[in-house]
C-alpha cells in the first residue's frame, strides 16, 4: 500500500516541485509573474469565486427547497443533483456550449437584438466562447457541492428549535435569519470552498466552452495545457506549482471549515 | 391569509430552484438529446462505424478495466490501514489522499509527464527498457489511476468506522485467522460501500478528460479515449458525431446515478457524500 | 381582586389523517394552577398541549387563554412559554443569548435584557454559566436554560412537553421538586405533559389522565389515586393486581392485600386460600407473590413489621383478604 501511494501520489508531486525549484529563482519568478500568467490567475480566481458564490446562494436555496417542501418529482430532482459529478467534463463542455452559444436555446436569449441581449448593448451578451461561458461551466461542474453539504445539516435540524422561536414571538422571517441560518453558515462555507476548489482546477468543460484567448477568457489550467503542447515544460511546471499551492491551501481551509461545522453541529 | 402568503413564498422558492437547475442541468441534457434526434439515425450509424469511435470506446474500457481493479484493491487496503491502525502521520495521509480531488487534472497530467517523460526520474528507467509511458496507453492508465484513486477508500472508511471492531474480535475469539476474518466478516459488512466506491471510480475513470488529454498526445485512433474523441470531433465541427458520442457517456452517467441511488438505499444510510 | 382566568378547552378535536389524536376534549385549568396531562404515548396529551400552544390548529372546538378566544391566534401572539422535551436550545447562541432571545424579538433595550437575564439565571440557579454554549452544559442545566428562556417573556401560560423524560433518574427527581418550588415563586398557569404517574403525582395539583384522545379522569392526585374512575386509570396509576371473579374484574393494589395465617373470623369478607410462591425482600418493604387455589397469582406488598410478624416461608399456606378493592364488569374494555 505504501509503495502504491508513493508511486502514484507522492512521487508525481515531488517531481513537480523538484523540476520547478531546479529552475533559477529569478527565472521561476519571471514565469510565475509574467503578464499572461497574472491575467490567467485573475480570470481563473475571479470567475471561480463568482461561480462558487453563485452556487452558495442557489445551492442553499435548492437544499432548502428539497428538504422543506414537497412537490411532484422531488425525488427525481434530488437524484439529478449529482449529474454534474457523474457527467464527464468533456460532455459537459459540449452540451453547455450547445445551449449557451449564440444559436443555443439559452444563448439565443442574450444574442444581439434580443430583449435581454439589448440590455448589454448592440452586441448582446456573448455567453459561450467568452468569460460568461467559463463562469457557467465552472458553476455546472461544482453545482452539487453546496447542496450536498447543506442538505444533511438542514435535515438534522430539529423542528422544535423553530417552534421554540415561534413561541418566543419570532416571525417566520426572524426565525429564519436568527435561528435557522446561523447554524448553516459553516456548511455553506464548506460547500463554497469545495466548489471554488473544483472550479479553479476545472479544465475539460472550460477548454471546450471558452474561446481560450489570452488575457480574455484563458484560465490557468488551459495555459498549462498550451505550454505543454508547445513542450515548454518549465513554463507549465511553474504555473502548475502555483496552482498546486492554491489547491493545498484550499484543502487546508476546507479541513478547517469541516472541523468547524462538525463542532458546531 | 398567512397560510396563503406562506404558500406563495414556497411556490416562488421552488420556481427559482427549478429555473436554476433547469438552466444548468436539465436544458443542456435535453438539448443533447434533441441534437442527437435531430441529427437522425444516419449520424448515429455513421458514428458507430467510425473506426476512431470504436477504438476510443475500446480504449476507454481498457483504461477503466486496468485502473478500477487496481484502485479498488488499493483503496480497500488504505481504508483498512487508516481506520484500524494508528500511526504517526495518519492525519497527513488522510489529507493527501484527498489531493487528487482538488488538484487540477491538467496539473496531474503535468506531474506525470515530468515523472515519466524522457528526462523524468522514472521515465529514464522505462526508456532504457524501451517502454513508452508518456503519450501512450500506460501514461493514460496512470493518469486515470491518479484521478480516481481516493474513491473506494473514501467510501469504505466511514462504513468501516461505523461497523467497529466488535465483530472482527468475535470472529478471532472463535478461531478465525486474519484472512478468514477479513473475508468472512469484514468484507460482507462493507460490500455495498466497496461497490459504491467502484461505481464512482469507474465513472471518473471513463470520463476523465484533462489528465488523460495531457498524457495522450492525442494520436487519432491510437491513444484516444471517448472524452478525447468527443472534444476532437466537436472542435473539428463534426458536431453530429460529437453529440452521438456524448450521448453514450451521458447514458453511462445516468446509469451510474441510478445504480448509486439504488446502492445508497441498500446501505440504508441514504447518505449523500460529496465527491 | 380581579378574577383571573386560566385555560379553557372546549370540545376540541384534532385528527392526523385517519388517526384521531384528540377527540372532543373539554378541559378547564384554573389560573395559577399546576396541571399535569398524564397518559401513555399516543394518548393525545402532547397534541393537546401543542393545540393550547398554537403549534397545531384544532379541526373543531375552541381554545380560550386567559378568557380570550385564541383558537386561531398565531403562536407568536399567544404569549406562552413552551419547554420542549429535548430542550430545543439555539445551539449557536450562548445561555444568555438563548434566554434573552424573546426579549430581543420584542425589541427590549439591551440594558433591560441584561438585567432580566441576570435575574433569570439566578432563578434557575445557573449564575456564572451565562456565557457557555448549550453543548457545554449537562442535560439538567440545559432544561433549566430552556425554562428560563420560556419564562423570560413573562408568559401568561407555561407549557412543558415531557420536560424531564430525557434526563437521568436522579436529575429528574431533583428537577421535579425544583419545578414545584419555582411554580410557587412565579405562579404562572402551568401545564406539563408526562407519561410518568409518579412525576404527575409529585408535581401537579391537578391531574388529567388521558387515553386514546379522551380524558379518562381528572382531579387532585389524591382523588385520582384513591378513587380511580375507570380500570384504565386504576392500572395506569400505581401497581395493581387484576383478578377474575365470576363475571367481574377485580382490581386490588398490592399494598391493600391483607395476608393472615388463619381464615378471617368476620363474616362476609371475601377470602382466598393461597400458597406463598416467592418472597422478594426489597429492604423497605417485602413483596410476596401468592398463588391462589384457582391458579391466579396475587402480589402483596407488606411492611417489614408485617412480614416479621407473619414469618412467611415459601410454600406456606395463607389466607388473603383486601382492605380496598374495585370491581368492574368483565366486558369493560380498557
Amino acid at each position: 500500500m505504501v509503495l502504491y501511494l508513493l508511486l502514484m501520489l507522492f512521487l508525481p508531486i515531488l517531481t513537480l516541485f523538484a523540476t520547478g525549484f531546479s529552475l533559477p529563482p529569478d527565472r521561476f519568478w519571471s514565469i510565475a509573474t509574467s503578464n499572461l500568467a497574472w491575467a490567467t490567475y485573475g480570470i481563473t480566481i475571479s470567475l471561480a469565486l463568482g461561480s462558487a458564490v453563485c452556487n452558495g446562494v442557489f445551492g442553499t436555496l435548492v437544499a432548502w427547497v428539497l428538504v422543506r417542501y414537497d412537490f411532484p418529482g422531488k425525488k427525481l430532482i434530488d437524484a439529478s443533483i449529482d449529474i454534474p459529478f457523474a457527467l464527464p467534463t468533456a460532455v459537459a463542455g459540449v452540451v453547455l456550449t450547445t445551449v449557451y452559444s449564440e444559436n443555443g436555446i439559452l444563448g439565443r436569449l442574450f444574442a444581439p437584438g434580443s430583449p435581454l441581449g439589448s440590455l448589454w448593448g448592440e452586441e448582446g451578451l456573448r455567453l459561450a466562447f467568452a468569460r460568461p461561458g467559463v463562469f457557467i461551466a465552472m458553476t455546472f461542474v461544482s453545482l452539487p457541492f453546496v447542496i450536498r453539504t447543506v442538505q444533511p445539516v438542514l435535515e438534522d435540524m430539529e423542528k422544535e428549535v423553530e417552534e421554540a422561536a415561534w413561541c418566543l414571538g419570532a416571525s417566520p422571517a426572524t426565525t429564519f435569519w436568527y435561528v435557522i441560518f446561523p447554524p448553516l453558515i459553516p456548511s455553506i462555507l464548506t460547500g463554497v470552498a469545495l466548489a471554488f476548489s473544483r472550479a479553479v482546477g476545472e479544465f475539460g468543460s472550460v477548454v471546450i466552452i471558452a474561446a481560450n484567448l489570452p488575457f480574455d477568457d484563458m484560465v490557468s489550467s488551459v495555459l498549462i495545457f498550451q505550454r505543454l503542447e508547445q513542450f515548454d515544460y518549465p513554463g507549465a511546471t511553474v504555473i502548475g506549482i502555483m496552482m498546486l499551492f492554491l489547491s493545498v491551501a484550499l484543502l487546508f481551509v476546507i479541513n478547517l471549515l469541516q472541523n468547524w461545522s462538525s463542532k458546531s453541529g | 391569509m398567512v397560510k396563503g402568503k406562506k404558500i406563495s413564498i414556497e411556490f416562488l422558492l421552488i420556481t427559482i430552484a427549478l429555473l436554476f437547475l433547469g438552466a444548468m442541468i436539465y436544458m443542456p441534457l435535453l438539448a443533447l438529446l434533441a441534437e442527437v434526434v435531430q441529427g437522425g439515425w444516419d449520424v448515429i450509424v455513421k458514428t458507430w462505424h467510425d473506426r476512431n469511435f470504436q477504438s476510443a470506446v475500446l480504449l476507454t474500457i481498457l483504461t477503466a478495466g486496468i485502473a478500477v481493479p487496481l484502485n479498488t484493491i488499493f483503496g480497500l487496503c488504505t481504508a483498512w490501514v487508516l481506520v484500524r491502525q494508528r500511526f504517526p502521520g495518519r492525519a497527513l495521509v488522510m489529507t493527501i489522499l484527498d489531493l487528487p480531488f482538488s488538484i487540477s487534472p491538467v496539473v496531474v497530467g503535468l506531474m506525470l509527464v515530468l515523472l515519466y517523460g524522457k528526462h523524468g526520474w522514472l521515465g529514464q528507467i522505462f526508456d532504457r527498457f524501451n517502454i513508452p509511458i508518456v503519450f501512450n496507453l500506460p501514461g493514460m492508465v496512470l493518469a486515470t489511476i491518479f484521478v480516481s484513486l481516493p474513491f473506494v477508500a473514501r467510501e469504505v472508511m466511514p462504513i468501516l468506522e461505523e461497523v467497529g471492531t466488535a465483530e472482527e474480535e468475535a470472529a478471532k475469539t472463535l478461531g478465525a485467522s486474519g484472512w478468514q476474518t477479513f473475508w468472512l466478516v469484514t468484507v460482507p459488512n462493507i460490500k455495498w460501500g466497496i461497490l459504491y466506491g467502484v461505481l464512482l471510480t469507474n465513472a471518473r475513470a471513463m470520463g476523465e478528460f484533462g489528465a488523460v488529454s495531457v498524457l495522450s498526445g492525442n494520436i487519432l485512433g491510437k491513444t484516444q479515449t471517448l472524452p478525447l474523441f468527443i472534444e476532437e470531433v466537436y472542435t473539428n465541427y463534426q458536431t453530429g458525431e460529437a453529440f452521438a458520442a456524448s450521448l453514450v457517456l451521458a447514458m453511462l452517467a445516468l446509469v451510474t446515478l441510478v445504480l448509486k441511488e439504488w446502492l445508497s438505499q441498500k446501505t440504508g444510510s441514504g447518505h449523500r457524500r460529496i465527491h | 381582586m380581579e378574577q383571573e382566568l386560566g385555560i379553557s378547552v372546549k370540545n376540541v378535536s384534532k385528527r392526523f389523517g385517519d388517526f384521531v389524536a384528540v377527540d372532543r376534549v373539554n378541559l378547564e385549568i384554573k389560573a395559577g394552577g399546576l396541571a399535569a396531562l398524564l397518559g401513555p404515548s399516543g394518548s393525545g396529551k402532547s397534541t393537546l398541549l401543542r393545540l393550547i400552544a398554537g403549534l397545531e390548529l384544532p379541526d373543531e372546538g375552541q381554545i380560550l387563554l386567559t378568557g380570550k378566544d385564541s383558537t386561531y391566534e398565531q403562536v407568536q401572539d399567544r404569549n406562552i412559554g413552551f419547554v420542549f422535551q429535548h430542550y430545543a436550545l439555539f445551539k449557536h447562541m450562548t445561555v444568555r443569548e438563548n434566554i434573552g432571545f424573546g426579549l430581543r424579538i420584542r425589541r427590549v433595550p439591551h440594558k433591560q435584557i441584561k438585567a432580566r437575564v441576570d435575574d433569570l439565571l439566578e432563578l434557575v440557579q445557573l449564575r456564572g454559566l451565562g456565557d457557555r454554549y448549550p453543548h457545554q452544559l449537562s442535560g439538567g442545566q440545559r432544561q433549566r436554560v430552556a425554562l428560563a428562556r420560556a419564562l423570560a417573556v413573562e408568559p401568561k401560560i407555561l407549557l412543558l412537553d415531557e420536560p424531564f423524560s430525557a434526563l437521568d433518574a436522579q436529575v429528574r427527581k431533583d428537577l421535579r421538586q425544583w419545578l414545584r418550588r419555582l411554580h410557587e415563586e412565579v405562579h404562572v398557569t402551568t401545564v406539563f405533559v408526562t407519561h410518568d404517574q409518579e412525576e404527575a403525582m409529585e408535581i401537579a395539583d391537578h391531574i388529567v389522565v388521558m387515553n386514546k384522545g379522551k380524558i379518562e379522569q381528572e382531579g387532585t392526585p389524591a382523588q385520582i389515586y384513591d378513587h380511580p374512575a375507570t380500570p384504565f386509570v386504576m392500572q395506569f396509576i400505581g401497581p395493581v393486581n387484576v383478578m377474575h371473579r365470576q363475571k367481574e374484574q377485580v382490581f386490588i393494589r398490592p399494598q391493600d392485600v391483607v395476608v393472615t395465617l388463619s381464615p378471617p373470623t368476620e363474616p362476609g369478607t371475601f377470602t382466598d386460600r393461597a400458597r406463598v410462591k416467592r418472597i422478594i425482600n426489597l429492604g423497605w418493604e417485602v413483596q410476596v407473590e401468592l398463588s391462589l387455589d384457582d391458579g391466579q397469582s396475587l402480589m402483596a406488598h407488606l411492611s417489614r413489621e408485617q412480614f416479621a410478624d407473619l414469618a412467611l416461608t415459601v410454600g406456606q399456606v395463607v389466607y388473603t383478604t383486601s382492605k380496598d378493592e374495585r370491581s368492574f364488569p368483565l366486558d369493560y374494555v380498557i
Side-chain angles (χ1 to χ4, degrees):
Chain A
M1 185 206 101
V2 175
L3 195 70
Y4 195 84
L5 257 183
L6 213 67
L7 219 63
M8 291 301 162
L9 262 176
F10 294 102
L11 217 49
I13 296 171
L14 212 64
T15 317
L16 182 71
F17 283 118
T19 313
F21 294 127
S22 67
L23 291 169
D26 53 330
R27 174 102 192 277
F28 185 99
W29 195 243
S30 72
I31 297 173
T33 59
S34 72
N35 284 342
L36 181 55
W38 267 119
T40 64
Y41 302 153
I43 293 163
T44 310
I45 291 175
S46 61
L47 289 176
L49 206 60
S51 77
V53 170
C54 170
N55 270 325
V57 174
F58 285 102
T60 307
L61 190 142
V62 171
W64 173 266
V65 164
L66 287 176
V67 173
R68 289 307 177 99
Y69 302 143
D70 262 317
F71 50 92
K74 180 173 129 169
K75 270 211 151 141
L76 206 65
I77 286 168
D78 194 346
S80 74
I81 299 295
D82 286 331
I83 287 178
F85 282 164
L87 201 68
T89 51
V91 180
V94 168
V95 296
L96 289 173
T97 310
T98 308
V99 171
Y100 288 101
S101 66
E102 223 168 75
N103 306 319
I105 28 186
L106 293 176
R108 211 177 293 157
L109 297 176
F110 295 88
S114 67
L116 270 174
S118 308
L119 291 177
W120 274 272
E122 243 168 74
E123 307 260 296
L125 179 66
R126 205 178 166 78
L127 296 175
F129 308 115
R131 283 188 198 189
V134 176
F135 172 85
I136 290 168
M138 285 176 166
T139 309
F140 177 86
V141 296
S142 56
L143 183 138
F145 284 109
V146 175
I147 302 176
R148 292 309 190 213
T149 46
V150 173
Q151 229 175 350
V153 181
L154 256 181
E155 272 165 5
D156 286 348
M157 210 173 259
E158 303 161 274
K159 185 83 187 144
E160 288 187 347
V161 175
E162 262 168 85
E163 292 180 341
W166 298 341
C167 288
L168 293 166
S171 68
T174 314
T175 306
F176 181 82
W177 288 114
Y178 286 83
V179 174
I180 300 171
F181 187 65
L184 294 182
I185 294 174
S187 57
I188 294 175
L189 288 181
T190 307
V192 167
L194 285 166
F196 178 63
S197 160
R198 174 72 204 260
V200 162
E202 178 53 20
F203 174 70
S205 59
V206 167
V207 79
I208 292 174
I209 203 169
N212 300 314
L213 294 174
F215 301 102
D216 181 18
D217 67 349
M218 186 192 275
V219 296
S220 300
S221 58
V222 174
L223 179 63
I224 297 175
F225 191 79
Q226 289 196 348
R227 293 264 161 95
L228 275 171
E229 278 186 326
Q230 296 150 3
F231 299 103
D232 175 8
Y233 290 147
T237 306
V238 170
I239 297 165
I241 288 176
M242 300 302 276
M243 285 190 76
L244 190 65
F245 274 143
L246 187 60
S247 305
V248 172
L250 279 170
L251 204 62
F252 184 68
V253 170
I254 290 163
N255 268 334
L256 282 182
L257 283 169
Q258 272 168 341
N259 278 345
W260 180 30
S261 44
S262 65
K263 238 177 233 154
S264 65
Chain B
M1 227 174 76
V2 175
K3 190 116 193 172
K5 194 173 133 201
K6 207 173 158 188
I7 284 174
S8 70
I9 288 177
E10 185 177 326
F11 185 74
L12 182 74
L13 292 179
I14 293 176
T15 311
I16 295 174
L18 290 182
L19 278 176
F20 175 67
L21 294 177
M24 293 314 301
I25 300 181
Y26 307 133
M27 289 286 256
L29 281 186
L30 286 177
L32 172 64
L33 199 64
E35 291 284 353
V36 174
V37 170
Q38 224 168 34
W41 192 245
D42 294 350
V43 178
I44 297 173
V45 172
K46 195 178 140 228
T47 311
W48 185 251
H49 288 293
D50 184 338
R51 296 204 50 148
N52 288 331
F53 173 79
Q54 287 175 352
S55 69
V57 170
L58 286 178
L59 199 58
T60 304
I61 294 172
L62 184 65
T63 44
I66 300 171
V68 173
L70 277 178
N71 274 342
T72 305
I73 295 166
F74 161 77
L76 267 178
C77 296
T78 311
W80 192 83
V81 170
L82 286 178
V83 172
R84 293 281 188 263
Q85 312 288 320
R86 292 287 175 270
F87 54 91
R90 182 172 162 270
L92 187 71
V93 174
M94 275 166 103
T95 311
I96 289 175
L97 194 62
D98 273 343
L99 267 176
F101 285 146
S102 51
I103 301 181
S104 171
V106 179
V107 177
V108 172
L110 164 68
M111 295 191 305
L112 294 174
V113 167
L114 291 178
L115 180 59
Y116 293 99
K118 270 214 161 54
H119 307 290
W121 294 340
L122 293 177
Q124 286 173 352
I125 300 173
F126 285 108
D127 201 40
R128 200 162 301 160
F129 296 101
N130 245 334
I131 306 172
I133 306 269
V134 173
F135 309 133
N136 258 300
L137 177 69
M140 295 163 74
V141 172
L142 281 173
T144 307
I145 289 175
F146 191 103
V147 295
S148 61
L149 189 100
F151 285 105
V152 172
R154 276 283 154 208
E155 289 305 319
V156 169
M157 271 164 59
I159 301 176
L160 215 51
E161 197 104 45
E162 213 172 293
V163 168
T165 53
E167 284 182 44
E168 286 170 19
E169 284 166 355
K172 279 186 189 142
T173 62
L174 294 169
S177 69
W179 272 114
Q180 284 172 320
T181 309
F182 181 73
W183 284 110
L184 298 174
V185 177
T186 313
V187 169
N189 271 331
I190 58 174
K191 63 179 173 202
W192 299 120
I194 299 174
L195 218 57
Y196 201 90
V198 168
L199 196 67
L200 298 181
T201 309
N202 184 57
R204 183 68 201 259
M206 289 196 166
E208 177 52 24
F209 175 76
V212 174
S213 173
V214 172
L215 266 294
S216 73
N218 235 335
I219 306 161
L220 260 183
K222 194 182 166 203
T223 48
Q224 235 175 15
T225 57
L226 215 35
L228 299 185
F229 172 82
I230 291 169
E231 196 251 1
E232 169 92 29
V233 292
Y234 189 71
T235 43
N236 286 342
Y237 301 104
Q238 294 167 273
T239 47
E241 285 196 33
F243 290 131
S246 289
L247 192 66
V248 174
L249 281 183
M251 294 304 244
L252 176 77
L254 288 184
V255 169
T256 303
L257 275 188
V258 170
L259 287 176
K260 202 176 135 196
E261 202 64 19
W262 175 71
L263 272 179
S264 58
Q265 249 146 53
K266 260 277 193 283
T267 48
S269 49
H271 59 229
R272 296 188 201 81
R273 216 161 297 120
I274 36 184
H275 299 309
Chain C
M1 206 176 96
E2 184 191 0
Q3 200 199 334
E4 283 184 56
L5 295 161
I7 303 168
S8 311
V9 173
K10 291 180 176 167
N11 207 30
V12 162
S13 295
K14 177 69 185 177
R15 279 175 289 273
F16 296 108
D18 287 338
F19 178 71
V20 185
V22 173
D23 193 1
R24 279 162 293 165
V25 162
N26 286 288
L27 181 64
E28 291 286 333
I29 290 160
K30 69 174 196 303
L34 178 46
L37 298 179
L38 174 65
S41 58
S43 59
K45 55 191 192 306
S46 280
T47 307
L48 182 57
L49 195 78
R50 291 171 62 85
L51 284 164
I52 295 170
L55 291 170
E56 307 282 353
L57 288 181
D59 295 322
E60 59 176 324
Q62 203 185 14
I63 292 167
L64 280 78
L65 304 180
T66 57
K68 181 178 159 211
D69 183 355
S70 302
T71 316
Y72 297 106
E73 199 179 12
Q74 293 280 311
V75 205
Q76 283 90 348
D77 306 329
R78 292 192 188 202
N79 199 21
I80 44 138
F82 200 105
V83 176
F84 293 85
Q85 185 176 0
H86 299 289
Y87 332 118
L89 293 179
F90 307 132
K91 293 188 190 71
H92 60 289
M93 297 185 198
T94 61
V95 168
R96 273 185 172 284
E97 288 167 332
N98 262 285
I99 298 175
F101 184 80
L103 300 170
R104 193 163 129 211
I105 295 296
R106 287 167 176 71
R107 301 187 194 288
V108 174
H110 264 286
K111 264 196 161 158
Q112 264 171 276
I113 295 183
K114 190 181 176 308
R116 176 98 180 109
V117 171
D118 280 333
D119 287 349
L120 282 159
L121 282 171
E122 193 76 38
L123 182 75
V124 298
Q125 299 158 2
L126 288 174
R127 215 164 53 128
L129 300 182
D131 295 324
R132 296 223 184 154
Y133 282 90
H135 68 90
Q136 297 169 311
L137 300 178
S138 72
Q141 290 171 329
R142 284 182 216 182
Q143 196 54 296
R144 279 183 279 158
V145 175
L147 229 125
R149 183 177 68 178
L151 290 172
V153 295
E154 296 182 341
K156 296 179 294 189
I157 288 162
L158 181 61
L159 305 170
L160 305 96
D161 189 2
E162 302 255 12
F164 309 131
S165 66
L167 300 170
D168 297 339
Q170 190 52 47
V171 182
R172 198 152 69 206
K173 274 215 152 76
D174 294 345
L175 273 186
R176 282 181 199 164
Q177 288 165 19
W178 176 79
L179 176 66
R180 178 111 228 143
R181 285 198 303 275
L182 186 85
H183 180 258
E184 277 157 19
E185 250 174 85
V186 190
H187 236 77
V188 54
T189 310
T190 304
V191 183
F192 73 98
V193 158
T194 178
H195 62 267
D196 180 347
Q197 41 100 9
E198 214 181 298
E199 191 169 290
M201 294 288 204
E202 195 176 326
I203 306 174
D205 51 31
H206 187 84
I207 294 181
V208 180
V209 184
M210 291 193 68
N211 182 32
K212 292 182 176 163
K214 290 194 159 101
I215 293 177
E216 289 270 337
Q217 187 180 7
E218 55 176 313
T220 62
Q223 280 170 339
I224 301 273
Y225 193 83
D226 296 334
H227 305 287
T230 65
F232 174 82
V233 177
M234 185 95 196
Q235 278 197 296
F236 196 72
I237 312 282
V240 71
N241 290 297
V242 186
M243 315 296 295
H244 294 268
R245 269 185 218 149
Q246 284 107 39
K247 287 205 154 56
E248 276 186 336
Q249 265 182 311
V250 181
F251 292 80
I252 310 167
R253 299 233 184 260
Q255 52 272 48
D256 290 336
V257 174
V258 179
V259 179
T260 53
L261 295 174
S262 51
T265 45
E266 294 163 56
T269 44
F270 190 95
T271 309
D272 265 321
R273 218 174 71 105
R275 200 175 280 277
V276 178
K277 209 162 124 193
R278 218 149 66 96
I279 296 170
I280 305 157
N281 196 328
L282 292 177
W284 67 92
E285 70 170 16
V286 182
Q287 301 183 346
V288 181
E289 196 183 329
L290 302 161
S291 173
L292 302 187
D293 280 355
D294 60 4
Q296 298 192 66
S297 60
L298 181 70
M299 205 55 153
H301 291 182
L302 306 177
S303 68
R304 284 167 55 180
E305 292 77 14
Q306 286 171 322
F307 182 73
D309 288 346
L310 292 165
L312 297 179
T313 52
V314 174
Q316 193 175 359
V317 173
V318 293
Y319 297 88
T320 67
T321 53
S322 66
K323 281 187 276 191
D324 191 14
E325 61 181 49
R326 301 183 69 78
S327 46
F328 297 94
L330 245 188
D331 54 4
Y332 197 103
V333 182
I334 294 174

